[in-house]
Amino acid sequence: MRRILHVDMDAFFAMIEQKRRPALKGLPVVVGGRGNPASRGVVSTASYEARKFGIRSAMPLRTAYALCPRAVFLPVDYETYSRVSRRIKGILREISPVIEDVGIDEAFLDISQLEAPPEEIAGRIKARILQETGLTCSIGIAPNKLLAKMGSDLRKPDGLTILVREDVERLIWPLAVRKLHGVGPKTEAHLKAAGIRTIGDLASLSRERLINSFGRSYGTYLYAASRGMDDSPVVTEWEPRSMSRETTFDADVSDRETVTGVLRDLAQDVVSSLKRGGYRGRTVGVKIRFGDFKTITRAMTFLDPSDSLEMILEAALRCLDRVDLSSRSRVRLVGIRVTHLERADQESLCLF
C-alpha cells in the first residue's frame, strides 16, 4: 500500500512576516500586492487571526480592509518567501527523494519505502521545519495524493492527520462538498440545488448521473474523488512546458480594477516560479472565465524569451485590454500562463 505525505505550510507568507517581526505575533496580518489596502491588489495570505474576520486569499485588499480595518497590511516579498521555501524543500528531500513540488508552500512525498511509522516521519518533518525556520506546517498522510491533501487541511494549524481507506466514510463523507478538491462555487451551487451538500451525498450518486450532469471527464473524477479514489503518481521531475497561476473568486466580480489587481499578483507569482526554476518564456497568455462559464483567452509572444516581471506583466495587461469586460457577466476566474519555456542559461539563436 502506498503512503503519501502532503505538507502544507500554515498561512505561509503571513507566518514568515510574523516570525521576522515578533511584534506582529497574535495580530491580524494580511499579505498582498504592495501592502496598501487602498490600492489595487488582492490578498495572497491572511494570518489565522485575520481569517477570523472572514479575510481569505484572492479577496480584494479593499474588501479585507473593510472587514478588518485594524489588520496589518504588508507587501508580498516573494524573494524571502522563495528562499524559505527552498530551505523547507531541502528538508523534505532529506526525508524522501520521491517528492513532488506543487507550490511555494506545499509538497507531496512518497514515503512508502520508509520503514519508520508515519507518525515518526511526520514528527521529524515538523521538528526540522520548526527548528530551522520557526514555522509550523500541517501534514496529511494517506494511501493517495487526494486524501493526503484533504488530510493536511483537516487540522490546521500545526496539525497531523493520518487516513486509511476505511476513514473515508467516517471523516471525509461528512465534509461539505466544497471541501473536495476540484469542486468550485458553481459546482457547489449546482449540487446544493440538487440536495447534495456533503461529500457523502456526492458519493451516493451513480457514475452515469454525474457524467450526464458534468460531462465524462469531470463526472468520472467526481465519482472517484468522492470515494477517496486517486491513482495519480508523485511526479518527481519533469521539464515544464508552461508555468501558470489562476484564481477563482469566492464571488464573481465586475470591476476591472479587481481583475487587474489579481492579474498583477498572479504575474508576480509566475515570474518568481520562472526564476526559481531557471526558465524564461516567449508567450504570455491570459484567461478570463465569466459567471456564465464563457472563457476567453488572449496571448502575446515576445521575439526573445524573458523572465522579466515588467515585460510579462505588461504583456498580460495588454492581453487583458483585448477582453471586453463590460459586455458580459461578472468575472469568475482570472489566470496567466507563460509558455514556450527555455532554460535561462540557454543561448538564443538569431537567424538573419
PDB file of all heavy atoms in Angstrom, residues 302-328:
ATOM      1  N   PHE A 302       6.792  37.193 -27.379  1.00  0.00           N
ATOM      2  CA  PHE A 302       7.990  38.022 -27.475  1.00  0.00           C
ATOM      3  C   PHE A 302       8.901  37.506 -28.590  1.00  0.00           C
ATOM      4  O   PHE A 302       8.841  36.330 -28.975  1.00  0.00           O
ATOM      5  CB  PHE A 302       8.793  37.995 -26.168  1.00  0.00           C
ATOM      6  CG  PHE A 302       8.016  38.401 -24.953  1.00  0.00           C
ATOM      7  CD1 PHE A 302       8.053  37.641 -23.793  1.00  0.00           C
ATOM      8  CD2 PHE A 302       7.262  39.563 -24.943  1.00  0.00           C
ATOM      9  CE1 PHE A 302       7.366  38.016 -22.661  1.00  0.00           C
ATOM     10  CE2 PHE A 302       6.555  39.957 -23.817  1.00  0.00           C
ATOM     11  CZ  PHE A 302       6.608  39.180 -22.677  1.00  0.00           C
ATOM     12  N   LEU A 303       9.773  38.386 -29.072  1.00  0.00           N
ATOM     13  CA  LEU A 303      10.801  37.946 -30.021  1.00  0.00           C
ATOM     14  C   LEU A 303      11.825  37.068 -29.317  1.00  0.00           C
ATOM     15  O   LEU A 303      12.329  36.091 -29.886  1.00  0.00           O
ATOM     16  CB  LEU A 303      11.492  39.159 -30.646  1.00  0.00           C
ATOM     17  CG  LEU A 303      10.644  39.993 -31.618  1.00  0.00           C
ATOM     18  CD1 LEU A 303      11.428  41.210 -32.087  1.00  0.00           C
ATOM     19  CD2 LEU A 303      10.223  39.138 -32.814  1.00  0.00           C
ATOM     20  N   ASP A 304      12.152  37.409 -28.072  1.00  0.00           N
ATOM     21  CA  ASP A 304      13.118  36.640 -27.288  1.00  0.00           C
ATOM     22  C   ASP A 304      12.486  36.234 -25.961  1.00  0.00           C
ATOM     23  O   ASP A 304      11.658  36.970 -25.409  1.00  0.00           O
ATOM     24  CB  ASP A 304      14.369  37.477 -27.008  1.00  0.00           C
ATOM     25  CG  ASP A 304      15.124  37.828 -28.276  1.00  0.00           C
ATOM     26  OD1 ASP A 304      15.483  36.902 -29.015  1.00  0.00           O
ATOM     27  OD2 ASP A 304      15.346  39.039 -28.517  1.00  0.00           O
ATOM     28  N   PRO A 305      12.847  35.081 -25.421  1.00  0.00           N
ATOM     29  CA  PRO A 305      12.272  34.638 -24.147  1.00  0.00           C
ATOM     30  C   PRO A 305      12.661  35.584 -23.018  1.00  0.00           C
ATOM     31  O   PRO A 305      13.727  36.207 -23.048  1.00  0.00           O
ATOM     32  CB  PRO A 305      12.880  33.245 -23.946  1.00  0.00           C
ATOM     33  CG  PRO A 305      14.136  33.256 -24.758  1.00  0.00           C
ATOM     34  CD  PRO A 305      13.856  34.128 -25.940  1.00  0.00           C
ATOM     35  N   SER A 306      11.795  35.691 -22.019  1.00  0.00           N
ATOM     36  CA  SER A 306      12.028  36.641 -20.932  1.00  0.00           C
ATOM     37  C   SER A 306      11.546  36.069 -19.609  1.00  0.00           C
ATOM     38  O   SER A 306      10.618  35.265 -19.558  1.00  0.00           O
ATOM     39  CB  SER A 306      11.286  37.961 -21.224  1.00  0.00           C
ATOM     40  OG  SER A 306      11.396  38.859 -20.131  1.00  0.00           O
ATOM     41  N   ASP A 307      12.191  36.511 -18.533  1.00  0.00           N
ATOM     42  CA  ASP A 307      11.701  36.248 -17.180  1.00  0.00           C
ATOM     43  C   ASP A 307      11.542  37.568 -16.434  1.00  0.00           C
ATOM     44  O   ASP A 307      11.533  37.611 -15.199  1.00  0.00           O
ATOM     45  CB  ASP A 307      12.634  35.305 -16.415  1.00  0.00           C
ATOM     46  CG  ASP A 307      14.034  35.878 -16.230  1.00  0.00           C
ATOM     47  OD1 ASP A 307      14.296  37.016 -16.699  1.00  0.00           O
ATOM     48  OD2 ASP A 307      14.885  35.207 -15.615  1.00  0.00           O
ATOM     49  N   SER A 308      11.404  38.647 -17.194  1.00  0.00           N
ATOM     50  CA  SER A 308      11.257  39.984 -16.621  1.00  0.00           C
ATOM     51  C   SER A 308       9.819  40.210 -16.161  1.00  0.00           C
ATOM     52  O   SER A 308       8.878  40.067 -16.951  1.00  0.00           O
ATOM     53  CB  SER A 308      11.633  41.049 -17.651  1.00  0.00           C
ATOM     54  OG  SER A 308      11.146  42.326 -17.272  1.00  0.00           O
ATOM     55  N   LEU A 309       9.652  40.551 -14.884  1.00  0.00           N
ATOM     56  CA  LEU A 309       8.311  40.830 -14.378  1.00  0.00           C
ATOM     57  C   LEU A 309       7.686  41.996 -15.132  1.00  0.00           C
ATOM     58  O   LEU A 309       6.496  41.963 -15.464  1.00  0.00           O
ATOM     59  CB  LEU A 309       8.372  41.146 -12.883  1.00  0.00           C
ATOM     60  CG  LEU A 309       7.054  41.587 -12.241  1.00  0.00           C
ATOM     61  CD1 LEU A 309       5.981  40.517 -12.395  1.00  0.00           C
ATOM     62  CD2 LEU A 309       7.266  41.935 -10.762  1.00  0.00           C
ATOM     63  N   GLU A 310       8.473  43.023 -15.410  1.00  0.00           N
ATOM     64  CA  GLU A 310       7.943  44.193 -16.108  1.00  0.00           C
ATOM     65  C   GLU A 310       7.389  43.814 -17.486  1.00  0.00           C
ATOM     66  O   GLU A 310       6.284  44.216 -17.857  1.00  0.00           O
ATOM     67  CB  GLU A 310       9.040  45.248 -16.254  1.00  0.00           C
ATOM     68  CG  GLU A 310       8.570  46.523 -16.928  1.00  0.00           C
ATOM     69  CD  GLU A 310       9.676  47.558 -17.041  1.00  0.00           C
ATOM     70  OE1 GLU A 310      10.812  47.270 -16.606  1.00  0.00           O
ATOM     71  OE2 GLU A 310       9.408  48.662 -17.563  1.00  0.00           O
ATOM     72  N   MET A 311       8.153  43.010 -18.243  1.00  0.00           N
ATOM     73  CA  MET A 311       7.719  42.627 -19.592  1.00  0.00           C
ATOM     74  C   MET A 311       6.515  41.699 -19.556  1.00  0.00           C
ATOM     75  O   MET A 311       5.556  41.861 -20.314  1.00  0.00           O
ATOM     76  CB  MET A 311       8.874  41.971 -20.346  1.00  0.00           C
ATOM     77  CG  MET A 311       9.984  42.919 -20.753  1.00  0.00           C
ATOM     78  SD  MET A 311      11.268  42.074 -21.728  1.00  0.00           S
ATOM     79  CE  MET A 311      10.310  41.545 -23.161  1.00  0.00           C
ATOM     80  N   ILE A 312       6.555  40.726 -18.650  1.00  0.00           N
ATOM     81  CA  ILE A 312       5.472  39.744 -18.592  1.00  0.00           C
ATOM     82  C   ILE A 312       4.189  40.386 -18.098  1.00  0.00           C
ATOM     83  O   ILE A 312       3.095  40.118 -18.615  1.00  0.00           O
ATOM     84  CB  ILE A 312       5.902  38.552 -17.718  1.00  0.00           C
ATOM     85  CG1 ILE A 312       6.974  37.736 -18.451  1.00  0.00           C
ATOM     86  CG2 ILE A 312       4.704  37.670 -17.351  1.00  0.00           C
ATOM     87  CD1 ILE A 312       7.606  36.636 -17.624  1.00  0.00           C
ATOM     88  N   LEU A 313       4.301  41.268 -17.108  1.00  0.00           N
ATOM     89  CA  LEU A 313       3.107  41.954 -16.620  1.00  0.00           C
ATOM     90  C   LEU A 313       2.536  42.888 -17.684  1.00  0.00           C
ATOM     91  O   LEU A 313       1.315  42.949 -17.873  1.00  0.00           O
ATOM     92  CB  LEU A 313       3.445  42.742 -15.354  1.00  0.00           C
ATOM     93  CG  LEU A 313       2.295  43.556 -14.751  1.00  0.00           C
ATOM     94  CD1 LEU A 313       1.102  42.679 -14.434  1.00  0.00           C
ATOM     95  CD2 LEU A 313       2.767  44.284 -13.494  1.00  0.00           C
ATOM     96  N   GLU A 314       3.399  43.603 -18.385  1.00  0.00           N
ATOM     97  CA  GLU A 314       2.910  44.488 -19.445  1.00  0.00           C
ATOM     98  C   GLU A 314       2.186  43.696 -20.527  1.00  0.00           C
ATOM     99  O   GLU A 314       1.122  44.107 -21.006  1.00  0.00           O
ATOM    100  CB  GLU A 314       4.076  45.265 -20.057  1.00  0.00           C
ATOM    101  CG  GLU A 314       3.640  46.225 -21.158  1.00  0.00           C
ATOM    102  CD  GLU A 314       4.809  46.955 -21.794  1.00  0.00           C
ATOM    103  OE1 GLU A 314       5.960  46.736 -21.375  1.00  0.00           O
ATOM    104  OE2 GLU A 314       4.567  47.741 -22.736  1.00  0.00           O
ATOM    105  N   ALA A 315       2.747  42.538 -20.896  1.00  0.00           N
ATOM    106  CA  ALA A 315       2.097  41.696 -21.901  1.00  0.00           C
ATOM    107  C   ALA A 315       0.749  41.194 -21.394  1.00  0.00           C
ATOM    108  O   ALA A 315      -0.238  41.163 -22.144  1.00  0.00           O
ATOM    109  CB  ALA A 315       3.007  40.521 -22.260  1.00  0.00           C
ATOM    110  N   ALA A 316       0.699  40.798 -20.123  1.00  0.00           N
ATOM    111  CA  ALA A 316      -0.558  40.303 -19.559  1.00  0.00           C
ATOM    112  C   ALA A 316      -1.624  41.387 -19.555  1.00  0.00           C
ATOM    113  O   ALA A 316      -2.792  41.140 -19.890  1.00  0.00           O
ATOM    114  CB  ALA A 316      -0.323  39.776 -18.145  1.00  0.00           C
ATOM    115  N   LEU A 317      -1.234  42.608 -19.200  1.00  0.00           N
ATOM    116  CA  LEU A 317      -2.202  43.709 -19.164  1.00  0.00           C
ATOM    117  C   LEU A 317      -2.667  44.071 -20.574  1.00  0.00           C
ATOM    118  O   LEU A 317      -3.833  44.443 -20.781  1.00  0.00           O
ATOM    119  CB  LEU A 317      -1.588  44.924 -18.467  1.00  0.00           C
ATOM    120  CG  LEU A 317      -1.297  44.732 -16.967  1.00  0.00           C
ATOM    121  CD1 LEU A 317      -0.614  45.964 -16.395  1.00  0.00           C
ATOM    122  CD2 LEU A 317      -2.570  44.410 -16.195  1.00  0.00           C
ATOM    123  N   ARG A 318      -1.784  43.965 -21.548  1.00  0.00           N
ATOM    124  CA  ARG A 318      -2.193  44.204 -22.934  1.00  0.00           C
ATOM    125  C   ARG A 318      -3.196  43.142 -23.387  1.00  0.00           C
ATOM    126  O   ARG A 318      -4.156  43.448 -24.107  1.00  0.00           O
ATOM    127  CB  ARG A 318      -0.975  44.206 -23.862  1.00  0.00           C
ATOM    128  CG  ARG A 318      -0.091  45.436 -23.738  1.00  0.00           C
ATOM    129  CD  ARG A 318       0.987  45.434 -24.806  1.00  0.00           C
ATOM    130  NE  ARG A 318       1.838  46.608 -24.707  1.00  0.00           N
ATOM    131  CZ  ARG A 318       2.815  46.888 -25.568  1.00  0.00           C
ATOM    132  NH1 ARG A 318       3.040  46.065 -26.592  1.00  0.00           N
ATOM    133  NH2 ARG A 318       3.556  47.962 -25.416  1.00  0.00           N
ATOM    134  N   CYS A 319      -2.953  41.902 -22.961  1.00  0.00           N
ATOM    135  CA  CYS A 319      -3.909  40.839 -23.290  1.00  0.00           C
ATOM    136  C   CYS A 319      -5.259  41.127 -22.644  1.00  0.00           C
ATOM    137  O   CYS A 319      -6.315  40.935 -23.266  1.00  0.00           O
ATOM    138  CB  CYS A 319      -3.372  39.488 -22.815  1.00  0.00           C
ATOM    139  SG  CYS A 319      -1.948  38.864 -23.737  1.00  0.00           S
ATOM    140  N   LEU A 320      -5.221  41.583 -21.403  1.00  0.00           N
ATOM    141  CA  LEU A 320      -6.469  41.906 -20.704  1.00  0.00           C
ATOM    142  C   LEU A 320      -7.212  43.031 -21.406  1.00  0.00           C
ATOM    143  O   LEU A 320      -8.449  43.025 -21.464  1.00  0.00           O
ATOM    144  CB  LEU A 320      -6.171  42.286 -19.250  1.00  0.00           C
ATOM    145  CG  LEU A 320      -7.385  42.615 -18.369  1.00  0.00           C
ATOM    146  CD1 LEU A 320      -8.286  41.390 -18.225  1.00  0.00           C
ATOM    147  CD2 LEU A 320      -6.930  43.091 -16.992  1.00  0.00           C
ATOM    148  N   ASP A 321      -6.474  43.994 -21.968  1.00  0.00           N
ATOM    149  CA  ASP A 321      -7.106  45.104 -22.683  1.00  0.00           C
ATOM    150  C   ASP A 321      -7.892  44.618 -23.896  1.00  0.00           C
ATOM    151  O   ASP A 321      -8.789  45.324 -24.376  1.00  0.00           O
ATOM    152  CB  ASP A 321      -6.052  46.117 -23.128  1.00  0.00           C
ATOM    153  CG  ASP A 321      -5.489  46.931 -21.964  1.00  0.00           C
ATOM    154  OD1 ASP A 321      -6.166  47.002 -20.920  1.00  0.00           O
ATOM    155  OD2 ASP A 321      -4.382  47.474 -22.108  1.00  0.00           O
ATOM    156  N   ARG A 322      -7.570  43.424 -24.382  1.00  0.00           N
ATOM    157  CA  ARG A 322      -8.256  42.874 -25.559  1.00  0.00           C
ATOM    158  C   ARG A 322      -9.483  42.048 -25.181  1.00  0.00           C
ATOM    159  O   ARG A 322     -10.084  41.402 -26.021  1.00  0.00           O
ATOM    160  CB  ARG A 322      -7.281  42.016 -26.370  1.00  0.00           C
ATOM    161  CG  ARG A 322      -6.155  42.833 -27.019  1.00  0.00           C
ATOM    162  CD  ARG A 322      -4.942  41.986 -27.342  1.00  0.00           C
ATOM    163  NE  ARG A 322      -5.287  40.821 -28.136  1.00  0.00           N
ATOM    164  CZ  ARG A 322      -4.487  39.754 -28.267  1.00  0.00           C
ATOM    165  NH1 ARG A 322      -3.327  39.716 -27.631  1.00  0.00           N
ATOM    166  NH2 ARG A 322      -4.864  38.736 -29.008  1.00  0.00           N
ATOM    167  N   VAL A 323      -9.826  42.055 -23.895  1.00  0.00           N
ATOM    168  CA  VAL A 323     -11.026  41.357 -23.425  1.00  0.00           C
ATOM    169  C   VAL A 323     -12.056  42.396 -22.998  1.00  0.00           C
ATOM    170  O   VAL A 323     -11.765  43.259 -22.172  1.00  0.00           O
ATOM    171  CB  VAL A 323     -10.707  40.418 -22.238  1.00  0.00           C
ATOM    172  CG1 VAL A 323     -11.973  39.713 -21.763  1.00  0.00           C
ATOM    173  CG2 VAL A 323      -9.643  39.395 -22.623  1.00  0.00           C
ATOM    174  N   ASP A 324     -13.237  42.321 -23.561  1.00  0.00           N
ATOM    175  CA  ASP A 324     -14.308  43.252 -23.214  1.00  0.00           C
ATOM    176  C   ASP A 324     -14.985  42.776 -21.936  1.00  0.00           C
ATOM    177  O   ASP A 324     -15.752  41.814 -21.948  1.00  0.00           O
ATOM    178  CB  ASP A 324     -15.317  43.336 -24.359  1.00  0.00           C
ATOM    179  CG  ASP A 324     -16.394  44.384 -24.103  1.00  0.00           C
ATOM    180  OD1 ASP A 324     -16.322  45.052 -23.050  1.00  0.00           O
ATOM    181  OD2 ASP A 324     -17.297  44.523 -24.943  1.00  0.00           O
ATOM    182  N   LEU A 325     -14.683  43.460 -20.841  1.00  0.00           N
ATOM    183  CA  LEU A 325     -15.257  43.074 -19.550  1.00  0.00           C
ATOM    184  C   LEU A 325     -16.607  43.731 -19.283  1.00  0.00           C
ATOM    185  O   LEU A 325     -17.293  43.384 -18.324  1.00  0.00           O
ATOM    186  CB  LEU A 325     -14.296  43.441 -18.414  1.00  0.00           C
ATOM    187  CG  LEU A 325     -12.916  42.776 -18.423  1.00  0.00           C
ATOM    188  CD1 LEU A 325     -12.111  43.244 -17.228  1.00  0.00           C
ATOM    189  CD2 LEU A 325     -13.029  41.263 -18.433  1.00  0.00           C
ATOM    190  N   SER A 326     -16.973  44.682 -20.131  1.00  0.00           N
ATOM    191  CA  SER A 326     -18.191  45.447 -19.852  1.00  0.00           C
ATOM    192  C   SER A 326     -19.451  44.825 -20.446  1.00  0.00           C
ATOM    193  O   SER A 326     -20.552  45.100 -19.977  1.00  0.00           O
ATOM    194  CB  SER A 326     -18.038  46.868 -20.398  1.00  0.00           C
ATOM    195  OG  SER A 326     -17.851  46.846 -21.809  1.00  0.00           O
ATOM    196  N   SER A 327     -19.286  43.980 -21.473  1.00  0.00           N
ATOM    197  CA  SER A 327     -20.466  43.499 -22.182  1.00  0.00           C
ATOM    198  C   SER A 327     -20.908  42.115 -21.751  1.00  0.00           C
ATOM    199  O   SER A 327     -21.855  41.564 -22.303  1.00  0.00           O
ATOM    200  CB  SER A 327     -20.190  43.485 -23.691  1.00  0.00           C
ATOM    201  OG  SER A 327     -19.125  42.589 -23.996  1.00  0.00           O
ATOM    202  N   ARG A 328     -20.179  41.516 -20.781  1.00  0.00           N
ATOM    203  CA  ARG A 328     -20.526  40.163 -20.379  1.00  0.00           C
ATOM    204  C   ARG A 328     -20.887  40.132 -18.898  1.00  0.00           C
ATOM    205  O   ARG A 328     -20.881  41.158 -18.218  1.00  0.00           O
ATOM    206  CB  ARG A 328     -19.363  39.198 -20.652  1.00  0.00           C
ATOM    207  CG  ARG A 328     -18.960  39.125 -22.128  1.00  0.00           C
ATOM    208  CD  ARG A 328     -18.177  37.849 -22.377  1.00  0.00           C
ATOM    209  NE  ARG A 328     -18.961  36.674 -21.995  1.00  0.00           N
ATOM    210  CZ  ARG A 328     -19.858  36.102 -22.788  1.00  0.00           C
ATOM    211  NH1 ARG A 328     -20.099  36.586 -23.989  1.00  0.00           N
ATOM    212  NH2 ARG A 328     -20.521  35.037 -22.382  1.00  0.00           N
TER     213      ARG A 328
END
